């Protein structure tokens, strides 16, 4: 499956009738902390498509991270249903979700979350060791432009480099989806662009469906699809006819 | 309440499980201090009071027969405060319902009134009425063992005559706090009794009217002790004096002193171990707390708090943990102290032994406990307050790892990355890993040191009753007999083999060192008793003297050197004889020669003081009956009974002691492992949560954390077993006394049990942490930057 998409995208063709990778029906999420009840999601219906680069935009507290966590199998919804392909995530147990994350999902976070005691190569190998059909850690690092930094520890790398290691770690198992929560949030514009270029390259070369959360509105211009969140629900969805390169983004 | 104190209280509540784990380890140290320190003081003070009130003698001597007016000469020795002469004899007792003969020690009391010295305290009844020769007072424990009440009767074979003795009272004497019969090594209240009876009657039976055979001397304040002994020996030697000795060599006192010394050794050695471990744990936990509160510390400083105030805040937290530990320790100490007092009451018979909780013991233990906690806090706090506010408020730099030589090894071994993480964590903080390992090892060591006592007892029994002494009974005579008595013993019913032992009281001297002991002459071809070297080889005193190793050490004697042998009962006759060997012996400090040598040294024909015999088990009763009817026999000791009473005593205490010790050892292991795991979990929460997000299962994530602890535990166990051996060796040295030496014997079962307890305690702590890993909130962890 992944192989097939890879070939088609290498030819520069976007699948004319993309299949749904995620869809949800009336997802709600309520957080209770003591007496306070926060409704983070208020019945979200969304469809996300295979091979697309999707950007989720919205103010903080608008619910975009909550949705990403539910789609990534990190959190349970309070109500509604969510599917990955034809598997219903909202029915899975913790064990099932672990399996799902392990087999299908790559994560990239704002604060990289690398293991400080492992080198770049080893951080990637951490994932390839438990994946079914991984690419070699070296290849993953080459893809994010870090072929020359493989044996460095996190503490010896810049933030941008660390984030690219995190991306390499996320894609090394050839996941179907790559979920990124504020991947450039802790970075300056120059390194932020490098990270976005890496994500764009992965999306283009491997056809990995990529969802990026950001509050940087400039990033939306590089997406296939932009979903805007407000107040726990989707405000609007736009599909870009033309996309720009990350280097052209105004920060 | 100040805001900082409120924070302290909340920190304490938040860290309750870790605080409790530390407090419990600390509590053990405090409890032992309170328990053993309290027991030692109770025992010591009770003894001192009892000795003083009941005028326990300072010097003891016995003679064959001395006229009463010799007492006047003794009282005239400068330094002698008071002296009392009396008659004392060992006799065979015939007690209804008991086939085996018991041994009684008859002691004369004045016809009117009570003894002047070694005054027994009546616990029931009264002293014998004047002129009533059949009335006796017995020691309370003997009466209890037989269920005797006032008015009950038993029989004694007194100078060949079977006499009915009626109990009119029971008493406790400072001379018999530890009541042990002649030739025995364990108290056996059924087989040994102390019998006080009217002096005139007793003297008449033994042809000692107007004479005495036992002397007790009390010293004045400024007495020259050694000079008194010297003069006493001079006065008594014409009357068959066997050499006067000080209170410290008096058997009951020596055992009591031995116990006190053991207690004070324990109090010095054991609590510090637990206090040091708790200091380490406090340091570990507080260090972590401070790392987490780095920014808050910076903030407090920026707000204008002094270094001292901030340091004091954290030290107070440590002290609160310390206070909790002290409180728990006091509770257990009080409870355990009562238990110890009861245990002591089984072995040491005082008219009063009240376990008083001494305030000073409590105060010292509390100070030690709080000091340990504070000590643990100091280094952790010092680092925190040294940071400038600006630096403190910035997040700490990420931990730096470097690749080293070991990494090549890692790659060669193709370890999984999760294993690499374990390895790097261990090598990145080698001191912390080392200390954690040492902490766990200490737990194993404590366990080994506690359990080894039982192995040592087994070894001691095997050595003493199987390898060295194979006789079934030891028969003692009223006075030495000619060698031919062995033939008579051989003719007693059931006696299969009989061998004679000739023993003479001597004083051995070498340079400035002098020891009183008995010199034993055994047949070198003896089948029943052997002298073995420490290596287990036979050693014979051919051409010289064989000394117990401990005795040789006390006299500073080497092989080939000559020792001076002085016979007080022979007018202080002095001879020299070379040391030809050392014997390994757990009980007593004997010296051995051949009968020929002893004959040459003393100028006397070989004699027999004791007979060892092997008995046909089917004819034991016939032998017992014969012994009861044989006037010349003054006592009979059954080796099997001694062994039984030894085993019973051990068995009685083994279960409880093993449980308590396992618990103590487990508390250390749990305290160390649990805290180490919790700290690791806190430090690496993000890392581990990331892995969970990447799709690692709970088991795989736990492996990283618990694998590290498993490695430490696995390394710690052999280290701990070795440390335990060292600790046991130290205890053997500390417990060594003139009366007995504990062999350093540790069985494989002890090692295995120690390893198990530690492994289980570690596993239990790991389980608790494992559950926490399962409850980790992945989303929350990822959202915050540490």
């Amino acid at each position: 499956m992944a192989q097939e998409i890879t070939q088609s995208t290498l030819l520069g063709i976007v699948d004319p009738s993309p299949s749904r990778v995620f869809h949800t029906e009336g997802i709600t999420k309520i957080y209770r902390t003591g007496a306070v009840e926060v409704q983070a999601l208020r019945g979200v219906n969304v469809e996300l498509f295979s091979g697309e680069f999707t950007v989720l935009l919205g103010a903080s507290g608008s619910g975009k991270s909550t949705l990403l966590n539910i789609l990534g199998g990190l959190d349970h919804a309070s109500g509604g249903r969510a599917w990955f392909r034809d598997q219903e995530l909202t029915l899975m147990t913790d064990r099932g979700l672990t399996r799902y994350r392990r087999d299908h999902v790559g994560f990239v976070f704002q604060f990289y979350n690398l293991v400080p005691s492992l080198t770049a190569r080893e951080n990637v190998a951490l994932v390839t060791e438990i994946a079914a059909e991984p690419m070699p850690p070296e290849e993953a690092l080459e893809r994010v432009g870090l072929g020359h930094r493989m044996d460095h520890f996190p503490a010896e790398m810049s933030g941008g480099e660390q984030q690219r290691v995190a991306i390499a770690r996320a894609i090394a198992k050839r996941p179907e989806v790559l979920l990124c929560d504020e991947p450039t949030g802790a970075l300056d514009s120059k390194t932020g662009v490098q990270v976005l270029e890496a994500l764009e390259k992965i999306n283009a070369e491997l056809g990995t469906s990529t969802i990026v959360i950001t509050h940087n509105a400039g990033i939306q211009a590089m997406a296939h699809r932009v979903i805007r969140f407000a107040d726990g629900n989707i405000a609007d969805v736009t599909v870009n006819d033309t996309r720009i390169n990350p280097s052209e983004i105004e920060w | 309440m100040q805001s900082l104190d409120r924070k302290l209280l909340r920190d304490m509540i938040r860290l309750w499980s870790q605080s409790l784990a530390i407090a419990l380890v600390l509590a053990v140290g405090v409890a032992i201090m309170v328990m053993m320190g309290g027991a030692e003081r109770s025992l010591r003070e009770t003894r001192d009071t009892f000795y003083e009130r009941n005028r326990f003698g300072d010097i003891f001597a016995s003679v064959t027969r001395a006229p009463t007016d010799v007492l006047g000469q003794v009282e005239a020795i400068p330094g002698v405060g008071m002296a009392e002469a009396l008659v004392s004899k060992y006799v065979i007792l015939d007690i209804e319902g008991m086939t085996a003969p018991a041994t009684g020690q008859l002691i004369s009391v004045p016809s009117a009134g009570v003894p002047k010295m070694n005054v027994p305290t009546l616990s029931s009844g009264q002293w014998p009425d004047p002129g009533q020769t059949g009335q006796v007072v017995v020691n309370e424990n003997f009466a209890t063992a037989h269920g005797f009440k006032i008015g009950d009767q038993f029989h004694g074979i007194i100078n060949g005559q079977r006499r009915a003795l009626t109990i009119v009272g029971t008493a406790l004497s400072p001379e018999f706090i530890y009541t042990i019969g002649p030739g025995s090594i364990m108290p056996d209240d059924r087989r040994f009794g102390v019998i006080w009876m009217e002096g005139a009657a007793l003297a008449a039976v033994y042809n000692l009217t107007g004479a005495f055979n036992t002397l007790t001397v009390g010293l004045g304040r400024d007495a020259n002790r050694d000079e008194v002994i010297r003069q006493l020996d001079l006065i008594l030697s014409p009357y068959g004096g066997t050499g006067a000795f000080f209170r410290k060599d008096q058997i009951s006192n020596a055992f009591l002193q031995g116990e006190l010394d053991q207690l004070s050794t324990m109090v010095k050695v054991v609590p510090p171990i637990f206090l040091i471990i708790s200091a380490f744990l406090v340091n570990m936990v507080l260090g972590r707390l401070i790392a987490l509160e780095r920014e808050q510390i910076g903030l407090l400083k920026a707000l204008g708090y002094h270094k001292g105030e901030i340091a004091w805040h954290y030290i107070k937290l440590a002290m609160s943990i310390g206070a909790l530990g002290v409180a728990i320790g006091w509770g257990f100490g009080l409870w355990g102290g009562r238990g110890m007092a009861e245990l002591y009451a089984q072995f040491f018979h005082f008219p009063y032994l009240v376990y008083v909780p001494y305030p000073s013991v409590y105060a010292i233990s509390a100070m030690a406990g709080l000091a340990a906690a504070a000590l643990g806090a100091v280094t952790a706090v010092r680092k925190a307050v040294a940071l400038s506010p600006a630096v403190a408020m910035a997040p700490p730099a990420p931990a730096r790892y470097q690749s080293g030589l070991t990494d090549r090894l890692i790659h060669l071994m193709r370890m999984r990355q999760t294993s690499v993480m374990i390895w790097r964590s261990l090598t990145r903080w080698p001191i912390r890993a080392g200390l954690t390992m040492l902490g766990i090892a200490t737990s194993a060591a404590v366990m080994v040191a506690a359990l080894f006592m039982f192995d040592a007892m087994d070894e001691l029994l095997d050595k003493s009753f199987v390898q060295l002494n194979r006789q079934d009974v030891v028969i003692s005579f009223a006075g030495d007999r000619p060698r031919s008595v062995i033939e008579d013993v051989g003719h007693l019913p059931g006696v299969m083999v009989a061998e004679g032992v000739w023993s003479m009281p001597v004083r051995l001297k070498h340079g400035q060192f002098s020891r009183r002991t008995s010199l034993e002459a055994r047949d070198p071809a003896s089948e029943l008793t052997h002298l073995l070297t420490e290596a287990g080889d036979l050693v014979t005193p051919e051409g010289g003297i064989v000394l117990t190793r401990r005795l040789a050490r006390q006299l500073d004697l080497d092989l080939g050197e000559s020792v001076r042998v002085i016979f007080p009962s022979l007018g202080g006759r002095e001879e020299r004889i070379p040391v030809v060997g050392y014997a390994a012996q757990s009980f007593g400090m004997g010296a051995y020669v051949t009968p020929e040598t002893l004959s040459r040294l003393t100028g006397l024909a070989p004699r027999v003081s004791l007979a060892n015999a092997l008995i046909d088990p089917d004819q034991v009763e016939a032998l017992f009956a014969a012994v009861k009817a044989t006037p010349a026999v003054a006592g009979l000791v059954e080796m099997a009974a001694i062994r039984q009473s030894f085993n019973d005593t051990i068995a009685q205490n083994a279960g409880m002691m093993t449980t308590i010790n396992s618990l103590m050892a487990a508390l250390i292991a749990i305290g160390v492992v649990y805290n180490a795991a919790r700290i690791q979990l806190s430090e690496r929460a993000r890392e581990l949560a990331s892995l969970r997000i990447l799709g690692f299962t709970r088991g795989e994530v736990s492996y990283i954390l618990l694998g590290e602890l498993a490695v430490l535990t696995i390394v710690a166990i052999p280290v701990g077993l070795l440390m335990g051996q060292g600790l046991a060796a130290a205890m053997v040295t500390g417990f060594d006394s003139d009366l007995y030496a504990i062999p350093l014997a540790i069985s494989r079962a002890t090692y295995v049990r120690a390893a198990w307890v530690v492994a289980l305690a570690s596993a239990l702590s790991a389980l608790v942490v494992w559950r926490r890993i399962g409850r980790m909130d992945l989303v929350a962890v990822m959202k915050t930057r540490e």
Side-chain angles (χ1 to χ4, degrees):
Chain A
M1 177 77 182
Q3 201 60 31
E4 192 184 281
I5 291 173
T6 305
Q7 279 170 357
S8 61
T9 44
L10 276 177
L11 295 169
I13 308 160
V14 172
D15 196 340
S17 55
S19 57
R20 288 193 303 192
V21 58
F22 287 116
H23 68 282
T24 67
E25 282 177 9
I27 285 286
T28 59
K29 179 69 185 178
I30 296 165
Y31 289 110
R32 281 187 190 83
T33 45
V36 188
E37 217 174 67
V38 178
Q39 185 141 21
L41 293 177
R42 301 169 187 269
V44 173
N45 297 309
V46 72
E47 282 184 310
L48 295 165
F49 297 93
S50 192
E52 279 191 355
F53 191 110
T54 307
V55 165
L56 303 188
L57 272 178
S60 79
S62 60
K64 54 192 193 305
S65 286
T66 307
L67 179 67
L68 194 79
N69 289 336
I70 291 170
L71 294 181
L74 290 179
D75 207 350
H76 294 279
S78 307
R81 304 169 78 183
W83 286 265
F84 166 72
R85 300 280 181 209
D86 50 2
Q87 298 177 44
E88 187 172 348
L89 296 173
T90 35
L91 290 180
M92 287 185 188
T93 60
D94 276 341
R95 191 178 289 269
L97 286 176
T98 299
R99 192 78 236 167
Y100 159 66
R101 293 198 301 268
R102 189 171 181 143
D103 294 342
H104 303 292
V105 189
F107 282 101
V108 176
F109 290 95
Q110 183 177 0
F111 298 119
Y112 336 132
N113 293 315
L114 298 180
V115 175
S117 63
L118 298 179
T119 62
R121 190 204 310 264
E122 289 163 347
N123 261 289
V124 178
L126 194 61
V127 170
T128 58
E129 281 171 359
I130 60 163
E133 285 178 43
M135 64 178 79
E138 294 76 11
E139 184 192 329
L141 286 163
E142 293 286 359
R143 282 185 185 275
V144 296
L146 285 175
H148 60 295
R149 302 283 277 167
M150 287 198 222
D151 292 320
H152 288 76
F153 284 98
E156 296 164 341
M157 291 189 278
S158 72
E161 285 173 327
Q162 287 188 55
Q163 190 61 298
R164 282 186 283 154
V165 174
I167 294 170
R169 183 175 70 179
I171 57 145
K173 64 177 166 189
R174 304 183 198 277
E176 285 186 60
V177 291
L178 186 58
L179 306 181
C180 312
D181 194 348
E182 299 277 8
T184 58
L187 301 173
D188 61 40
S189 61
K190 190 163 158 268
T191 48
V193 166
Q194 286 172 357
V195 165
L196 291 174
E197 280 172 339
L199 287 175
E200 150 75 344
K201 184 161 169 265
I202 298 302
N203 174 249
E205 289 177 0
L206 302 180
T208 313
S209 316
T210 305
I211 306 172
V212 174
I213 284 185
T214 182
H215 57 259
N216 182 343
I219 294 174
Q220 62 180 300
M222 65 177 281
H224 293 114
R225 187 181 297 268
V226 179
I227 300 174
R228 237 176 293 272
F229 266 79
D231 208 14
N233 217 330
I234 292 171
D236 66 73
V237 179
T238 33
V239 176
N240 289 335
D241 297 331
T242 53
R243 299 165 59 205
I244 61 166
N245 279 328
S247 58
E248 300 166 65
I249 291 172
E250 288 188 24
W251 211 260
Chain B
M1 194 191 276
Q2 290 197 319
S3 314
L4 264 186
D5 289 333
R6 211 165 287 148
K7 169 181 175 306
L8 185 131
L9 196 69
R10 291 192 187 132
D11 281 343
M12 183 94 176
I13 292 166
R14 193 163 49 84
L15 294 170
W16 74 269
S17 57
Q18 284 167 274
S19 305
L20 185 67
I22 301 172
L24 283 176
V25 175
L26 192 83
V28 173
V30 170
I32 291 175
M33 273 178 99
V34 169
M35 205 164 87
M36 296 199 161
E40 192 216 348
R41 238 181 111 169
S42 288
L43 214 53
R44 193 183 293 281
E45 293 199 357
T46 310
R47 177 197 68 177
D48 291 348
T49 313
F50 192 30
Y51 280 179
E52 200 188 325
R53 280 196 201 156
N54 295 48
R55 292 186 292 280
F56 186 49
D58 295 306
I59 293 176
F60 303 83
S62 56
V63 294
T64 317
R65 184 183 195 282
T68 316
D69 54 13
V70 171
L71 188 60
Q73 295 177 45
V74 171
E75 283 168 334
I77 299 173
V80 170
M82 63 162 57
E84 187 172 40
L86 41 91
V87 172
S88 171
K89 284 281 182 184
Y90 287 113
V91 295
I92 290 277
L93 302 178
D94 185 6
I95 296 161
E96 212 174 309
M98 184 172 160
T99 51
T103 304
Q105 182 174 359
L106 299 180
I107 296 175
S108 67
V109 292
S111 297
V114 293
K116 274 202 299 183
M117 300 193 66
N118 307 336
V119 184
T121 296
L122 275 183
S123 50
S124 71
Q126 53 167 67
W127 289 105
D129 292 324
Q132 294 294 320
T133 53
Q135 293 190 350
V136 294
V137 168
V138 297
N139 61 319
E140 187 188 273
N141 28 318
F142 174 71
T144 309
H146 288 283
F148 285 148
K149 290 183 287 294
I150 305 289
D152 285 353
Q153 266 195 355
F154 61 98
H155 290 86
I157 318 300
I158 301 176
N159 208 15
Q161 289 182 344
R162 192 165 185 276
R163 297 254 189 137
L165 302 171
T166 306
I167 298 170
V168 295
T170 59
L172 290 160
S173 158
E175 227 182 324
F176 300 99
I177 293 171
Y178 191 77
T179 319
I180 190 164
S184 194
I185 48 167
M186 283 295 287
D188 185 340
D189 290 328
R190 276 177 65 76
R191 287 182 170 77
F192 177 70
V194 185
I195 298 152
W196 287 274
M197 61 190 288
E198 203 190 57
L202 188 56
V205 176
Y206 284 101
N207 191 25
L208 286 167
T209 304
F212 66 91
N213 71 352
T214 302
L215 189 70
T216 307
V217 174
L219 292 173
R221 265 173 193 280
D222 309 313
N224 179 343
R225 300 161 57 86
D226 295 320
E227 181 60 18
V228 173
I229 284 262
R230 203 185 65 82
Q231 294 206 28
L232 205 53
D233 279 351
L234 276 178
I235 295 169
L236 298 179
S237 92
Y239 308 104
T242 54
F245 54 93
F246 288 118
R247 183 191 278 184
K248 76 175 174 59
D249 291 323
Q250 198 267 345
I251 191 89
S252 157
N253 181 70
F255 270 101
L256 187 50
Q257 187 62 48
E259 188 61 39
L260 286 170
D261 291 345
Q262 279 196 17
L263 275 176
S264 68
T265 306
M266 296 288 277
V267 170
K268 278 180 208 130
V269 173
V270 181
I273 294 176
F274 285 87
L275 295 182
I276 288 168
I277 299 258
S278 27
F280 160 63
L281 292 178
V282 165
N283 184 270
M284 215 161 76
V285 170
L286 216 59
R288 176 59 194 159
L289 183 70
I290 288 169
L292 284 177
E293 296 187 348
R294 204 178 131 101
E295 293 173 35
Q296 296 177 35
I297 293 169
L299 181 75
L300 287 174
K301 279 186 163 178
L303 290 176
Y305 277 92
H306 295 296
K307 276 184 185 182
E309 286 168 320
I310 296 168
W312 179 232
H313 168 68
Y314 288 104
I315 289 173
K316 265 199 291 192
L317 179 65
M319 301 267 269
S320 309
I321 297 174
L324 181 65
V326 167
I328 298 172
W330 277 1
F332 276 106
L334 192 65
W335 173 74
R338 287 227 181 82
M340 280 198 86
E342 278 167 27
L343 196 67
Y344 280 121
Q346 280 177 33
F347 296 102
F348 299 106
H349 305 282
F350 292 101
Y352 38 82
L353 171 63
V354 195
Y355 179 74
V356 196
Y358 291 95
S360 61
V361 172
Y362 280 76
I364 290 168
S365 65
M367 279 193 288
L370 293 178
L375 186 76
V378 166
T379 50
V381 169
R382 210 173 41 198
K383 259 186 254 163
V385 297
L387 289 173
S388 79
V391 175
M393 282 170 77
R400 289 197 80 93
Y401 287 85
Q402 283 171 343
S403 26
L405 279 175
T406 51
D407 289 85
R408 296 228 189 104
L409 191 73
I410 287 172
H411 291 300
L412 277 175
M413 286 167 62
R414 301 187 145 268
M415 274 159 77
R416 291 183 77 90
Q417 299 311 320
T418 41
S419 303
V420 174
M421 289 169 73
I422 293 177
W423 176 254
R424 293 244 169 86
S425 168
L426 287 171
T427 49
R428 174 69 176 75
W429 285 282
I431 294 176
R432 184 164 81 176
L435 285 175
T436 305
M437 189 276 289
L438 266 184
I440 303 170
T442 308
S443 149
V446 164
M447 193 67 194
V448 169
L451 287 178
F452 112 92
M453 289 300 273
F454 299 109
D455 298 335
M457 292 300 153
D458 279 345
E459 166 86 4
L460 198 136
L461 284 181
D462 180 61
K463 271 251 165 63
S464 305
F465 294 102
V466 181
Q467 298 180 30
L468 301 179
N469 299 292
R470 292 179 40 233
Q471 71 272 41
D472 294 320
V473 295
V474 180
I475 296 167
S476 53
F477 305 107
D480 289 353
R481 303 273 145 170
R483 249 182 166 176
S484 60
V485 78
I486 288 304
E487 280 174 42
D488 300 333
V489 172
H491 289 135
L492 286 171
V495 173
M496 301 192 293
V497 180
E499 291 176 356
V501 177
W502 177 17
S503 106
M504 290 285 285
V506 291
R507 198 178 288 286
L508 299 181
K509 283 193 174 173
H510 178 242
Q512 80 220 55
F513 304 104
S514 165
R515 292 293 318 176
R516 188 179 160 274
T517 183
S518 65
L519 186 57
E520 276 193 20
R522 302 161 164 185
D523 188 347
S526 165
E527 282 178 51
L528 301 182
T529 55
H530 298 294
L531 289 176
L532 296 178
T533 62
E534 274 130 358
D537 302 322
L538 269 177
V539 55
T540 47
E542 227 43 83
I545 188 168
V546 167
L547 299 179
T548 315
R549 172 71 81 174
R550 285 174 299 136
L551 180 58
R553 212 180 288 141
Q554 286 200 6
L555 291 169
D556 194 26
L557 272 166
D558 279 325
L559 282 183
E561 286 188 288
S562 273
V563 58
R564 288 155 63 202
V565 183
I566 294 146
F567 296 91
S569 56
L570 301 175
R573 181 186 176 111
E574 183 173 328
E575 300 287 335
R576 296 180 83 87
I577 184 166
V579 178
V580 294
Y582 299 129
Q585 217 161 37
S586 295
F587 293 105
M589 297 208 296
Y592 305 89
V593 290
T594 60
E596 290 65 37
T597 309
L598 188 53
S599 179
R600 182 172 57 77
L601 292 174
T602 55
L604 301 169
R607 298 196 257 170
V608 169
S609 329
L610 298 167
N612 291 321
L614 217 53
I615 307 298
D616 175 357
D618 293 336
Q619 296 192 55
V620 169
E621 294 196 8
L623 174 75
F624 287 165
V627 161
K628 287 177 185 171
T630 307
V633 175
L636 180 141
V637 174
E638 291 166 85
M639 299 303 266
I642 296 182
R643 186 171 190 164
Q644 187 61 46
S645 117
F646 214 102
N647 274 334
D648 287 351
T649 310
I650 293 169
Q652 205 175 7
N653 302 313
M656 194 183 77
M657 290 299 282
T658 308
T659 311
I660 290 179
N661 291 323
S662 306
L663 212 65
M664 281 177 8
L667 277 180
I668 296 187
I670 289 172
V672 174
V673 175
Y674 179 66
N675 274 302
R678 283 299 302 271
I679 287 168
Q680 286 258 7
L681 185 61
S682 147
E683 281 175 354
R684 303 173 78 174
R686 275 172 68 77
E687 195 174 306
L688 300 178
S690 314
L691 295 185
R692 288 282 284 134
I693 289 167
L694 291 177
F696 281 75
T697 61
R698 196 213 297 200
E700 285 163 338
V701 168
S702 305
Y703 165 73
I704 297 167
L705 193 61
L706 304 180
E708 182 173 336
L709 291 165
V711 168
L712 290 176
T713 305
I714 288 164
V715 175
I717 286 174
V719 172
L721 298 182
L722 267 177
M723 281 163 59
Q725 201 175 39
L727 201 57
M731 280 166 71
V732 163
T733 315
F735 289 177
D736 192 82
S737 74
D738 290 359
L739 297 168
Y740 50 85
I742 295 160
L744 181 58
I746 307 173
S747 73
R748 192 176 300 169
T750 292
Y751 286 127
V752 170
R753 188 178 287 179
W756 262 114
V757 166
V758 174
L760 278 177
S762 291
L764 196 72
S765 324
L767 189 73
V768 179
V769 176
W770 183 76
R771 288 172 55 94
R772 284 194 158 259
I773 291 176
R775 290 204 303 265
M776 214 153 48
D777 183 344
L778 303 185
V779 175
V781 169
M782 300 315 294
K783 279 286 170 196
T784 52
R785 170 162 206 151
E786 183 166 78

